[in-house]
Amino acid sequence: MAKYITKRILVTIPVLLGMILLIFFMLNVVPGDPVTVMMKEHLKEDVVANLRRSMHLDDPFFIRYLRYVWDAIRGDLGVSWKLSRPVTGLIATAFPYTLKLALSAALFSWIMGIPVGIVSAVRKNSLIDHLSMGLSLFGVSMPVFWVALILQNTFKGTLPVSGVQTWKGYILPTIVLGWSSAGRIARLTRSNLLEVLREDYIRTARSKGLSRLKVITRHALKNALIPVITVMAIQISSLLSGAVITESVFSIPGVGSLAVSAIKNRDMPLLQGTVIFTAVLIIAGNLVADVLYSIIDPRIRVE
Amino acid sequence: MDNILEIKNLITSFASDGRKERAIAVNGVDLAIPRGKTVGLVGESGCGKSVTSLSVTGLLAENGRVESGEALFQGRDLLRLSEKELRAIRGNDISMIFQEPMTSLNPVIPVGVQVAEAARLHEGLDKATAKARTVEIMRKVGIPEPERRYGQYPHQLSGGLRQRVMIAMGMLLKPDLLIADEPTTALDVSIEAQILRLMRDLQRENGTAILMITHNLGVVAEICDEVYVMYAGEVVERADVFTLFKSCAHPYTRGLMGALPRMTPKGQRLYNIRGTVPNLWAMPVGCRFAPRCEFAAERCHGEKPPLLDLGGGHLCRCFAPRGLEDEHHG
Ligand SMILES: Nc1ncnc2c1ncn2[C@@H]1O[C@H](COP(=O)(O)OP(=O)(O)OP(=O)(O)O)[C@@H](O)[C@H]1O
Ligand SMILES: [Mg+2]
């Protein structure tokens, strides 16, 4: 078990390096010299050259990449061109907002999605099944900003629609961000459970005289939820990265808002920092999902 | 005679996608199992053996339905019982061993826990007592190191061991009737013999009646007292095991006899009967076996033969039944 996890973590390292390389490359071929961005083109040539040298902008690409990785490992993601503050610090201030939003959205999607999925499977083709599957499909297919606008209009006056001065400010963003995940989880739970209920071992369980409820809770649910749990863990990371639009619409000062402002200001270190930070979260989420899966599923555990 | 189970005129159908009428998979089966005896149910794949047993225990797939018939068990008609009443019987008075040892055990629950489950449910045993009893039955069915195996998962066990786990599960509560659906298919011949011996021992010990569903006439010869031969959803012949092997009367049974496993390489299911089982949607109007029968006359194609008694309870659904010994005389 420990061996499996160690192996999984070691495999992640080259993935991380490759990913940083890719992001670094993409952002560095984008035109826009940082010095001219910062100084608004009012500079003498020798000053520019000095600045470029001090920022190591003339070094070969690969050297700059290695230096960036080395700095990143020590927690230094460079300095924001626009705000002149360390990117790491900016992200550290913004991340708690994003994390709170993503976690509450994840929680919302599990608390809604799993029971709804189970009830839909057990009462297949009933009114409640059709209704909840319709709502799920709605959540999965509607654009986030549109759902956000509708909810903002509907709850204007009863709930805060901008900012997160109190916890109530998180309610609408949580629903907006979590709805599609909830829908996906409900649909996945339902289809997995229906599939599992057709398995031979369910008939075996019934042949022992177990009640329908016990057959579902003891024999079907664990098998049906194993894939769902994996998806749930991956979802946390994609919720973290997917919060960009929700954060902007509801004016939440999270990592997403930070990235948006970086794009607006062509603030390369900040953009690079937020993108790489988010990508690391996604990779970590996948790692956690894999480990969780191996803990839950005895078939993987022994390998 | 005292029968533990008496199935009368059982008809079972399935709904299928895109069709209005339902497919009749079991068409008027009568079958009786004497107390403490072993009755074989044989026939080619798809003839309705499993569906017959699942109809009786109320475990048909969602699209299946019993249309009519009776299944008298201890004076009660199983087909008319509520789900709750049936549940009290399942696993307690009637146990089942299913066809697929690979898929019939829950992959995420330790096998011992799965065996013990019925004991905890029906006899209200606490965990420790149920475990002790499970370990004991696991040892009895020849599972080595039962204490260790108890906590293992199905994928950690070989096919033979899984099959034994299924048998332990079926035998644990000393049921009055054990329905064993191909309990030895996945096993090699020596383990098969072992398992059959085991079932016979347990039967002798507990007085359990067994419905043995199988393709394999070798298994029938080994363990059965009586045999029903099914073809295309109907019983075509019934006899005690000696009569069947000495003078079976239906051309279909004789075809099966020609394919005794000792004559074919292991694992193959060869029958020297030409053609294939008819489609559920295109049953012949007359004798269902007529299109494949080398003795079929004109009458066989237009008229359905009744199940005739040839004497001594030897039943045969054929207009011209004959014994094996006739063979050489034409
Ligand atoms: N759930 C189902 N839906 C539709 N048809 C079914 C279903 N279950 C069984 N059947 C059909 O009923 C017929 C009898 O099937 P059954 O499983 O009883 O055969 P069997 O004699 O047990 O064969 P085998 O030796 O392969 O197990 C087959 O034609 C099969 O296709
Ligand atoms: Mg079968």
Side-chain angles (χ1 to χ4, degrees), chain A residues 139-274:
Chain A
V140 173
S141 50
M142 286 303 126
V144 168
F145 62 85
W146 195 69
V147 175
L149 285 179
I150 290 180
L151 287 183
Q152 278 178 331
N153 274 322
T154 315
F155 291 98
K156 208 181 287 166
T158 32
L159 283 171
V161 293
S162 173
V164 282
Q165 284 72 31
T166 66
W167 64 269
K168 280 186 185 157
Y170 280 103
I171 295 179
L172 290 182
T174 294
I175 296 175
V176 167
L177 185 58
W179 194 339
S180 74
S181 306
R184 216 163 285 136
I185 285 185
R187 298 178 77 79
L188 187 67
T189 304
R190 177 182 184 273
S191 66
N192 280 346
L193 189 53
L194 284 177
E195 198 172 304
V196 165
L197 285 174
R198 279 194 292 269
E199 294 283 347
D200 286 346
Y201 56 78
I202 295 300
R203 194 180 51 198
T204 309
R206 291 182 61 209
S207 80
K208 293 181 215 171
L210 293 173
S211 67
R212 190 167 157 75
L213 185 68
K214 277 183 186 152
V215 167
I216 288 174
T217 53
R218 281 198 211 156
H219 285 265
L221 225 42
K222 192 171 177 193
N223 285 288
L225 288 184
I226 283 173
V228 178
I229 287 169
T230 318
V231 169
M232 278 170 19
I234 293 174
Q235 253 177 5
I236 295 190
S237 53
S238 71
L239 286 174
L240 282 168
S241 57
V244 177
I245 299 171
T246 314
E247 283 179 11
S248 327
V249 176
F250 288 96
S251 319
I252 299 171
V255 179
S257 299
L258 212 55
V260 170
S261 76
I263 293 170
K264 258 191 244 157
N265 300 321
R266 305 181 77 179
D267 191 339
M268 252 350 126
L270 186 57
L271 184 56
Q272 202 160 282
T274 49

Side-chain angles (χ1 to χ4, degrees), chain B residues 210-232:
Chain B
I210 300 176
L211 177 63
M212 176 63 84
I213 299 176
T214 180
H215 283 99
N216 189 332
L217 284 169
V219 171
V220 170
E222 189 75 29
I223 195 169
C224 294
D225 301 300
E226 285 174 26
V227 190
Y228 286 78
V229 180
M230 268 186 93
Y231 183 77

Side-chain angles (χ1 to χ4, degrees), chain B residues 45-51 53-54 99-100 181-182 213 215:
Chain B
S45 192
C47 68
K49 307 183 295 290
S50 299
V51 171
S53 70
L54 295 173
Q99 205 163 357
E100 313 287 345
D181 197 342
E182 306 272 7
I213 299 176
H215 283 99

